[in-house]
Amino acid sequence: MNRKKLNIGLFGFGCVGYGLYQVLEKTPTLNATIKTICVKDQNKPRPIPQEHFTFDKNAILCDKDINVIVELIDNADEAFDIVSAALRAGKAVVTANKKMIAEHLAELIDLQYEYKVPLLYEASCCASIPILRNLEEYYDNELLESVEGIVNGSTNYILTKMSAEGQSYQEALSQAQAKGYAESNPLLDTGGFDAKYKLLILSAHAFGGVLKPQDIFNAGIDRISHLEQQYAKEKGLKIKLIAQAFRKGDGTISAFVAPRFIRPSDKLYQVDDVYNGVTLKTVFSEDQFFVGKGAGAYPTASAVISDLSALTYDYKYEYKKINQNKHVEYNNDVLLKIFASCESDYKADVAAYFEETSEQFSNGKHSYTIGTITLSNYIKLYGEKPVSLIVVDTIREEELEAININELVAEI
Ligand code: HSE
């Protein structure tokens, strides 16, 4: 089979852009060369000769020899302008920009159909884990029940360093930035926004339905203090930031991002450092687990390379789940068992949001409450009080029928 020759116009030459340049040089089997690189800063010293660069995006967008655009810039709005212009110009696009995709997925799908050119974005979700193409191709007919896991490398790195090495939050975050894992605005990582964007994309490919980012609730790791870390350690648990989307008995889907206590029996317990891990629950094959580095120059570049390779065979997403399931309903009708910790002054206020409480503790200064709460009340409580909320369990309807709530909240 004759593979297409790729003549690439690259936008962005930061950590991942340079990583891609290096990985491409070591991938001679791929018939691809970077013709021009567009960057913003004219004065920044760069590791390769100046003649490769342009500062004018049209030098790439209007170049008829360039048939593929790789978009690896930071700013999601500028990225959308570039990507949509490229698709309109009939150029295939590969991007890693999850914020841009999550904010514009419906328009980007329309543009692909209208201009008959593909947009691939495997690198946008979990970097080195080939999850999107698997959801699209391997699971095209299998009924998926849930997609959940650790999808942000920086927060996993920070939580690992805090719990395993006793580092401070700030120290661990600075290291995640120095290693090129964190977004340039690290609040996107620590506030759970990056995980939310990825969950939106994963969920569209798993279940169909294109949400808006504001439709998915995200809590981050920025309220987790050493008290919760200590509690987790005493109980033999770890805290991880978990993105989850799952189908309920009535066919509706719930999707949200929140920190969760992970038990040693959970496969995610061993997923530390910058690694991501995703568990798919399917009706027939049951649990399947994917693991790999979730951030960093080379793991992300490897996913871009894989998309480039797919383009040489004219691969495109068919959006099978989106086309099959036109009326997917997402809602927050979920019951959670959670651990809520706050300053003791707020203890009574916090308990009022719960359906049931099983345990309350206070040392006069700090207190915690364990119990069941609806996701809607979790979201309200998170917005209204200075409280750290960690999920213990997501309680599915089937389980609700089978167990007594009082028994469930009795013990972690
Ligand atoms: N900031 C992101 C993360 C980069 O830490 O996961 C990879 O998407």
Side-chain angles (χ1 to χ4, degrees):
M1 185 179 181
N2 264 344
R3 296 176 71 179
K4 240 188 195 159
K5 159 109 179 73
L6 304 181
N7 227 353
I8 299 169
L10 172 62
F11 284 87
F13 204 66
C15 170
V16 180
Y18 184 40
L20 174 68
Y21 182 90
Q22 291 170 301
V23 174
L24 256 184
E25 284 201 318
K26 295 194 173 109
T27 318
T29 46
L30 190 64
N31 197 2
T33 38
I34 298 178
K35 184 176 179 203
T36 314
I37 305 168
C38 182
V39 289
K40 239 179 171 176
D41 187 344
Q42 307 212 4
N43 302 315
K44 198 169 160 183
R46 298 202 160 80
I48 62 170
Q50 199 60 28
E51 73 241 22
H52 292 283
F53 296 96
T54 178
F55 307 104
D56 172 13
K57 64 180 177 183
N58 290 321
I60 289 180
L61 292 172
C62 301
D63 184 336
K64 297 248 175 310
D65 288 344
I66 290 179
N67 55 358
V68 180
I69 302 297
V70 177
E71 182 284 304
L72 298 173
I73 68 170
D74 195 43
N75 183 302
D77 295 333
E78 288 173 12
F80 180 65
D81 288 346
I82 290 165
V83 169
S84 47
L87 294 172
R88 284 195 181 93
K91 297 184 193 300
V93 179
V94 175
T95 175
N97 202 318
K98 51 264 156 147
K99 184 169 191 284
M100 185 271 296
I101 298 162
E103 285 172 347
H104 299 282
L105 183 55
E107 292 153 272
L108 290 168
I109 294 173
D110 288 348
L111 282 169
Q112 291 174 74
Y113 286 133
E114 190 177 346
Y115 292 92
K116 298 186 175 46
V117 272
L119 166 68
L120 300 183
Y121 41 85
E122 187 66 68
S124 68
C125 292
C126 309
S128 71
I129 304 178
I131 189 70
L132 289 180
R133 225 170 313 149
N134 268 301
L135 287 173
E136 272 289 298
E137 303 304 324
Y138 189 83
Y139 298 96
D140 63 340
N141 289 307
E142 177 133 29
L143 202 56
L144 283 160
E145 292 190 325
S146 67
V147 178
E148 70 169 45
I150 300 164
V151 300
N152 180 271
S154 302
T155 46
N156 205 31
Y157 181 86
I158 293 167
L159 292 170
T160 304
K161 294 290 163 189
M162 283 170 74
S163 72
E165 294 173 24
Q167 283 188 11
S168 71
Y169 178 84
Q170 204 46 54
E171 199 180 348
L173 170 60
S174 303
Q175 278 187 12
Q177 288 175 301
K179 286 176 180 283
Y181 301 155
E183 301 298 303
S184 50
N185 172 7
L187 178 65
L188 293 177
D189 297 298
T190 57
F193 296 93
D194 179 83
K196 182 236 293 272
Y197 302 140
K198 291 168 178 165
L199 183 62
L200 186 155
I201 300 166
L202 290 170
S203 197
H205 285 271
F207 303 112
V210 179
L211 292 173
K212 289 276 172 206
Q214 58 271 25
D215 298 331
I216 299 181
F217 171 73
N218 57 295
I221 64 162
D222 37 5
R223 295 190 192 178
I224 298 172
S225 72
H226 72 278
L227 290 174
E228 290 99 301
Q229 291 280 11
Q230 197 183 325
Y231 181 90
K233 216 168 220 167
E234 280 167 14
K235 300 277 180 188
L237 307 167
K238 287 182 183 173
I239 303 173
K240 306 277 184 195
L241 185 67
I242 304 296
Q244 62 173 323
F246 57 94
R247 191 189 300 279
K248 293 169 291 179
D250 62 0
T252 64
I253 313 280
S254 286
F256 61 96
V257 175
R260 194 201 291 171
F261 285 125
I262 301 291
R263 299 175 174 88
S265 57
D266 192 317
K267 292 182 190 67
L268 294 172
Y269 189 86
Q270 301 297 350
V271 179
D272 285 332
D273 209 86
V274 73
Y275 280 84
N276 283 185
V278 179
T279 304
L280 300 182
K281 207 182 267 297
T282 73
V283 171
F284 302 116
S285 46
E286 300 181 15
D287 281 8
Q288 279 156 317
F289 185 57
F290 296 76
V291 66
K293 283 196 169 168
Y298 298 139
T300 312
S302 76
V304 172
I305 293 278
S306 178
D307 276 350
L308 288 171
S309 172
L311 285 179
T312 66
Y313 298 111
D314 287 326
Y315 178 79
K316 60 180 183 304
Y317 299 135
E318 287 179 36
Y319 296 103
K320 292 174 185 140
K321 296 290 165 71
I322 292 175
N323 292 326
Q324 280 161 19
N325 310 318
K326 295 274 180 225
H327 305 290
V328 187
E329 190 196 322
Y330 286 80
N331 61 43
N332 288 334
D333 299 341
V334 179
L335 195 59
L336 303 171
K337 180 182 177 186
I338 67 161
F339 173 100
S341 73
C342 59
E343 289 186 5
S344 291
D345 296 349
Y346 296 103
K347 193 173 103 182
D349 295 354
V350 166
Y353 290 78
F354 281 70
E355 299 294 300
E356 309 228 18
T357 59
S358 63
E359 190 180 329
Q360 280 200 296
F361 167 82
S362 179
N363 63 8
K365 200 160 181 276
H366 290 100
S367 72
Y368 69 76
T369 305
I370 300 172
T372 53
I373 189 168
T374 61
L375 175 58
S376 304
N377 268 357
Y378 178 110
I379 296 169
K380 260 171 95 179
L381 174 55
Y382 191 81
E384 291 172 2
K385 305 284 176 211
V387 59
S388 169
L389 305 178
I390 301 184
V391 175
V392 177
D393 271 317
T394 302
I395 304 164
R396 310 283 169 94
E397 291 124 346
E398 317 82 77
E399 292 163 349
L400 268 181
E401 280 164 22
I403 50 174
N404 177 322
I405 287 283
N406 291 324
E407 281 171 19
L408 187 84
V409 294
E411 209 188 335
I412 277 196

